[in-house]
Amino acid sequence: MPQVAFLKAAGFQDGHAQYSDPLDEQTFLVDTLNFLMQRPEWEHTAVIIAYDDSDGWYDHQMSPIVHQSQTTADTLSGPSLCGAKAPTDGQQGRCGYGPRQPFLVISPWAKSNFVDHALTDQSSIIRFVEDNFGLGRIGGGSSDAYAGQLNNMFDFDKHKHTPPRTLLLDPSTGQPL
């Protein structure tokens, strides 16, 4: 298997409310995870499940402004404003985070029953890959430079005493096999 791979479900399984059934999304996730957990590489694998949008359906908390912007497309803080000043790196139109979204880490190295309250976003995945493989940042105003880290979601010492676990599920019910 490659050291890094990105998977995207087919439209009917991708979790978008308009055209994807949650049970089809569950089938995609369970089939993928069951496959990975049965591979010899599972001991060295981390699966990160992230979503690209939520349509604002389930968040009651406004996200912080992490990248101020002043364009005609910005309206968060007033006409043509997201925050109070122009961005220092010249990158406009990236107001900040939108609604919070589910972000799951499934791995033999993941902390069990743990909720991390660190501020992360999709570019945190890129930062994790960059840090893990010593690649450095993308640069040019890329958001990986200020993305939150994922390291707190892992316990890299846990396998000194216990072997990696698997939990295979039934794709149609989500129940353990």
Side-chain angles (χ1 to χ4, degrees):
M1 290 186 357
Q3 289 186 319
V4 176
F6 291 85
L7 301 178
K8 184 181 183 322
F12 76 98
Q13 292 179 310
D14 72 3
H16 282 88
Q18 184 176 7
Y19 52 80
S20 176
D21 186 298
L23 294 177
D24 289 331
E25 177 189 13
Q26 173 179 289
T27 298
F28 170 76
L29 290 172
V30 169
D31 284 346
T32 301
L33 291 166
N34 283 352
F35 171 79
L36 292 172
M37 286 185 187
Q38 294 177 73
R39 306 260 323 156
E41 297 93 342
W42 176 245
E43 182 179 354
H44 307 287
T45 300
V47 176
I48 300 169
I49 300 172
Y51 292 83
D52 67 345
D53 60 52
S54 69
D55 297 328
W57 289 2
Y58 50 79
D59 198 1
H60 66 283
Q61 175 76 33
M62 181 179 156
S63 297
I65 298 172
V66 295
H67 196 275
Q68 297 187 55
S69 181
Q70 294 181 342
T71 71
T72 55
D74 295 318
T75 60
L76 183 68
S77 306
S80 300
L81 290 174
C82 172
K85 56 187 176 183
T88 57
D89 63 5
Q91 300 287 326
Q92 293 280 4
R94 300 187 327 190
C95 181
Y97 296 139
R100 295 175 299 175
Q101 300 167 348
F103 191 95
L104 307 170
V105 174
I106 301 170
S107 171
W109 303 97
K111 291 180 179 176
S112 298
N113 301 316
F114 177 75
V115 175
D116 191 0
H117 296 282
L119 183 63
T120 58
D121 73 343
Q122 292 172 329
S123 59
S124 297
I125 300 167
I126 299 299
R127 181 178 180 150
F128 180 74
V129 171
E130 292 168 344
D131 292 347
N132 192 48
F133 293 100
L135 302 175
R137 301 289 174 249
I138 293 171
S142 179
S143 59
D144 60 319
Y146 53 84
Q149 294 184 355
L150 304 184
N151 293 355
N152 194 41
M153 297 179 191
F154 295 92
D155 179 357
F156 293 114
D157 293 326
K158 74 192 294 183
H159 290 308
K160 291 180 180 177
H161 306 290
T162 59
R165 288 187 48 215
T166 59
L167 175 62
L168 302 180
L169 302 175
D170 182 320
S172 62
T173 66
Q175 297 297 311
L177 290 175

